[in-house]
Amino acid sequence: MKQWFDTFNQTYFQGALPQPALQLSQSRTRLGTLSYKRVRTWKGMKNESYTLRLSNYYDLSEREYQNTLLHEMIHYVIAYKGWKDTSAHGQIFRSIMQELNTKYGWEINISAKQSEVGEPATDRPLQERLILALELQTGERMLSAINPGYALMFEKQLVTIREVKTFFWLRTFDDYFRDFPVVRSLRGRKVSVDEYNRIIQSATTASHVRDLLDG
């Protein structure tokens, strides 16, 4: 998100936007949101403490996430500049959106709601997932659906984490993972020992992720 924000800020907004807090969410209703505080100063009301969030609940393409980020950045520039638009997606918003779409080939939509922008992962054909299976020193089991581009980096990190007792990499089409977000950070979902063992036994497993990626 930071890399995209910096690139878009320089390319389309003349570098005028200070970097906000950038966060991921699990929102099922909105793919992106911009929030900020309204504070009173001696000059009048001012917007500050901007936070821009993208939901990774849905399995969208990188291009779809970029369009969502640009949607929220249009909201950001309007709020940061203090421009008075005719509505939330009024004339100013639509003018900027139209320029980005026609001049630069983006597909930004008026709405960042899931119902209008993307379909839930449960309505899409199930794709093969790269799964990280973790056993912690406490005996807890964790499962994560991993973005393959980050897998080698994660594997290097895992061997340095004392809390991790052992881990396996899996490739599977198991419908169990349909609603798992594909993550780019080390986080996962706690599961029972029985479910953990079932997943490992039913999937293609490897002790090193490179064996699965190369395969």
Side-chain angles (χ1 to χ4, degrees):
M1 285 177 67
K2 182 181 184 302
Q3 181 179 346
W4 293 347
F5 180 90
D6 290 344
T7 298
F8 296 159
N9 188 25
Q10 294 297 325
T11 304
Y12 308 127
F13 301 97
Q14 295 75 52
L17 299 175
Q19 184 175 301
L22 300 172
Q23 298 179 2
L24 295 175
S25 79
Q26 282 282 290
S27 174
R28 301 187 184 193
T29 58
R30 290 192 174 274
L31 299 180
T33 58
L34 175 75
S35 61
Y36 53 87
K37 295 180 181 179
R38 293 275 290 166
V39 298
R40 187 177 299 279
T41 70
W42 65 275
K43 292 184 177 181
M45 298 302 294
K46 177 184 177 182
N47 301 331
E48 62 177 34
S49 301
Y50 293 90
T51 300
L52 197 158
R53 296 180 178 88
L54 295 183
S55 172
N56 64 355
Y57 182 83
Y58 295 95
D59 188 15
L60 303 183
S61 68
E62 183 174 75
R63 181 75 173 186
E64 289 172 310
Y65 280 119
Q66 289 173 334
N67 277 292
T68 304
L69 176 59
L70 281 167
H71 176 111
E72 300 308 326
M73 290 181 72
I74 298 174
H75 283 306
Y76 183 19
V77 72
I78 292 172
Y80 180 73
K81 295 288 189 179
W83 295 334
K84 302 298 182 183
D85 208 348
T86 54
S87 66
H89 298 104
Q91 294 178 359
I92 297 177
F93 184 98
R94 291 170 184 264
S95 175
I96 299 172
M97 181 186 71
Q98 180 77 9
E99 180 180 4
L100 292 176
N101 286 345
T102 58
K103 188 175 181 179
Y104 299 101
W106 291 101
E107 304 93 23
I108 306 166
N109 293 293
I110 287 295
S111 176
K113 293 181 180 179
Q114 175 274 326
S115 60
E116 297 185 29
V117 179
E119 293 298 324
T122 53
D123 290 342
R124 298 182 176 188
L126 186 65
Q127 297 178 343
E128 187 178 39
R129 296 291 182 89
L130 176 65
I131 304 299
L132 173 62
L134 287 173
E135 180 181 352
L136 304 181
Q137 296 292 353
T138 60
E140 295 175 300
R141 267 65 166 186
M142 308 285 290
L143 295 172
S144 298
I146 301 296
N147 182 309
Y150 292 76
L152 291 174
M153 178 184 71
F154 290 167
E155 185 163 285
K156 292 179 181 179
Q157 294 176 358
L158 286 166
V159 298
T160 68
I161 300 175
R162 295 181 180 180
E163 291 80 4
V164 175
K165 181 178 180 180
T166 186
F167 63 90
F168 298 94
W169 293 98
L170 321 172
R171 284 172 63 179
T172 180
F173 286 94
D174 196 321
D175 192 68
Y176 178 82
F177 296 102
R178 183 180 289 276
D179 69 338
F180 273 56
V182 179
V183 301
R184 298 173 174 83
S185 59
L186 278 175
R187 57 191 178 88
R189 185 175 299 181
K190 188 184 300 185
V191 299
S192 68
V193 174
D194 289 343
E195 192 66 39
Y196 182 88
N197 290 335
R198 182 192 73 79
I199 294 296
I200 289 179
Q201 293 169 7
S202 65
T204 302
T205 64
S207 57
H208 299 288
V209 70
R210 192 180 296 277
D211 296 335
L212 294 180
L213 296 177
D214 291 345

